[in-house]
Amino acid sequence: MTKDTKKIIIIAIAAIILIKALTAIGIYGFRSTNAFYCFMTRALPYPAMFVNYHPVLYREYADNVNTLRNIAREQGGSEMTEGQIRKSAAERLVANQVLEQMAAERKIKAFDYEIEKEFQRAVGDTDQDELEMNLKKLFGWTAEEYKENVVKPFILGQKLTEAIYGSNADDFEKYLQEEIKTAKILYLVPH
């Protein structure tokens, strides 16, 4: 390896370390969820929290915060403060993570065909272009993101309810809330 090649490698490594450090400062120090940091956290995974030792990525947190902002804006400037939005996003991610962990313990899965079937049932005969436009406007999501963030947890909840309590959704909801309360959570973001 030549001297110039070594220099280039060292500069590249230093640049990567600097970018990672600046991104960490932006997301943890300044609590930023802007487009630049969302992009960076897609390329470089950073945890937002740990739920029972399982990481929830910052990009998921930022996406949820931005989604709640979109919803508040579309509903005519909701009374939610930035702190309430961030708290709600963190709580939703914790609940989804606990739900996924409960499903994994029982080997329960939401299969793609089930997700698609439920999604189609929910949207009915809505025009695909109109649906995509409305999802983007209200949530800032594509149809695939909506399926992952809404439909999949819904199906897991239904399957867990059936597996644990038969058809008694109220008892399952109480059980889920108790599991959330007793979960070991380490927050690295405002909540």
Side-chain angles (χ1 to χ4, degrees):
M1 205 181 308
T2 68
K3 197 174 191 180
D4 288 341
T5 305
K6 287 181 183 178
K7 247 188 219 181
I8 291 171
I9 291 172
I10 290 171
I11 290 171
I13 291 170
I16 291 169
I17 290 170
L18 180 63
I19 289 170
K20 278 192 72 92
L22 290 174
T23 300
I25 290 168
I27 63 175
Y28 297 126
F30 296 112
R31 302 176 179 163
S32 182
T33 57
N34 70 28
F36 172 76
Y37 290 106
C38 287
F39 171 78
M40 291 305 295
T41 58
R42 289 192 193 306
L44 305 167
Y46 290 86
M49 63 192 77
F50 292 88
V51 180
N52 294 325
Y53 309 106
H54 295 269
V56 174
L57 296 179
Y58 189 84
R59 71 172 171 250
E60 295 173 68
Y61 171 74
D63 285 347
N64 274 268
V65 167
N66 289 330
T67 295
L68 289 173
R69 284 184 192 141
N70 276 347
I71 292 169
R73 185 174 49 251
E74 286 301 315
Q75 292 178 344
S78 169
E79 299 295 318
M80 288 182 77
T81 65
E82 182 67 17
Q84 291 169 322
I85 287 172
R86 288 176 181 268
K87 181 179 182 196
S88 182
E91 288 172 350
R92 182 177 181 283
L93 289 168
V94 167
N96 283 350
Q97 183 61 234
V98 168
L99 192 69
E100 286 182 21
Q101 291 171 13
M102 290 169 59
E105 288 169 4
R106 291 164 179 81
K107 297 182 180 16
I108 294 173
K109 295 180 182 179
F111 295 100
D112 290 343
Y113 75 90
E114 294 171 314
I115 294 169
E116 187 61 35
K117 181 179 175 183
E118 182 62 33
F119 179 73
Q120 291 305 323
R121 187 190 67 72
V123 299
D125 295 333
T126 306
D127 176 66
Q128 190 66 29
D129 291 335
E130 181 183 344
L131 175 66
E132 287 282 349
M133 184 183 69
N134 288 335
L135 289 173
K136 190 55 100 177
K137 182 179 177 185
L138 182 59
F139 299 107
W141 290 338
T142 64
E144 291 306 311
E145 291 170 319
Y146 182 83
K147 290 174 192 176
E148 182 65 28
N149 291 306
V150 177
V151 180
K152 182 180 177 185
F154 174 75
I155 290 172
L156 286 177
Q158 282 186 320
K159 286 183 165 188
L160 281 165
T161 299
E162 185 66 32
I164 298 170
Y165 287 105
S167 60
N168 192 336
D170 290 339
D171 284 346
F172 175 73
E173 186 59 35
K174 290 176 190 172
Y175 177 66
L176 176 60
Q177 292 306 315
E178 192 58 38
E179 288 293 309
I180 292 169
K181 283 181 190 172
T182 60
K184 294 175 182 76
I185 304 168
L186 172 62
Y187 290 99
L188 303 174
V189 293
H191 61 283

